[in-house]
Amino acid sequence: MLKTTFRTAALLSAVIGAGAVAYASSNPEVGGAPMYDNKTIVENAVNSKDHTTLVAAVKAAGLVDTLNSAGPFTVFAPTNEAFAALPAGTVDTLLKPENKDQLVKVLTCHVVAADAMAAAIDKMIKDDGGSHDVKTVGGCTLKATEMGGKIMLTDEMGNMATVTIADVKQKNGVIHVIDKVLLPKA
């Protein structure tokens, strides 16, 4: 009886342990940091070494409380490399206090007031014949398409971003990492 109890406990421990590993690995790492689905978008983003520029911009724009709220939000999160690819001086100019309104506009053109996982976006693209208009919190309209199994977003200026890491679940929505900064009409 005692042997059976120990075997059952060992088996149960192995099953629980395997489940814990599967759960922990179900959300991709971003910028070398684990992303936890019980934390908010901001609580996770601050740990990504690939999103320090985005986090600084969110702070400068005064959007931390918004992105820590209940949501749900879908954030298309440009990497540091995406910000660095903008014309020289653009980020420094946007981060100046006198340009806060413009910074808010740029950032909110990366946010949708919904919890849109990649499969849902892909279905909308297919249902709409290959292209789906995505309305953002900032009033921008992004064009979502699919190419080579990847979701692509075209902004109002014609710039195209690729979702490089999809479906990073958050307590208040989802993050999709992108490789370009999306811009509103000038």
Side-chain angles (χ1 to χ4, degrees):
M1 179 70 156
L2 192 54
K3 278 185 176 178
T4 304
T5 303
F6 282 128
R7 269 189 253 143
T8 303
L11 180 60
L12 185 58
S13 177
V15 169
I16 291 170
V21 170
Y23 179 77
S25 65
S26 67
N27 226 8
E29 280 194 4
V30 176
M35 297 286 117
Y36 300 103
D37 63 4
N38 64 345
K39 291 188 175 190
T40 67
I41 290 164
V42 173
E43 290 170 335
N44 273 319
V46 298
N47 295 315
S48 169
K49 67 178 174 41
D50 292 343
H51 291 90
T52 56
T53 305
L54 177 62
V55 169
V58 166
K59 288 177 180 177
L63 295 174
V64 170
D65 289 342
T66 301
L67 293 176
N68 268 331
S69 70
F73 302 108
T74 296
V75 175
F76 297 106
T79 61
N80 294 340
E81 287 181 4
F83 280 102
L86 292 171
T90 301
V91 173
D92 291 336
T93 299
L94 284 171
L95 292 175
K96 291 181 180 178
E98 62 267 24
N99 296 323
K100 183 178 177 179
D101 290 344
Q102 187 179 5
L103 177 60
V104 167
K105 177 74 172 174
V106 168
L107 292 176
T108 57
C109 282
H110 291 81
V111 180
V112 179
D115 189 347
M117 300 297 279
I121 298 169
D122 195 47
K123 182 175 179 343
M124 289 182 265
I125 292 168
K126 285 179 175 64
D127 288 350
D128 288 352
S131 176
H132 178 74
D133 286 347
V134 177
K135 305 286 185 196
T136 69
V137 171
C140 299
T141 300
L142 306 175
K143 182 91 44 200
T145 56
E146 183 272 327
M147 188 173 5
K150 298 258 185 188
I151 294 174
M152 311 295 288
L153 300 165
T154 304
D155 67 18
E156 295 177 337
M157 301 297 289
N159 303 305
M160 186 179 282
T162 302
V163 174
T164 58
I165 302 174
D167 296 342
V168 186
K169 296 176 210 139
Q170 312 291 295
K171 176 179 170 180
N172 60 344
V174 61
I175 291 174
H176 300 291
V177 177
I178 58 174
D179 64 353
K180 297 275 188 292
V181 176
L182 302 167
L183 299 172
K185 283 184 202 170

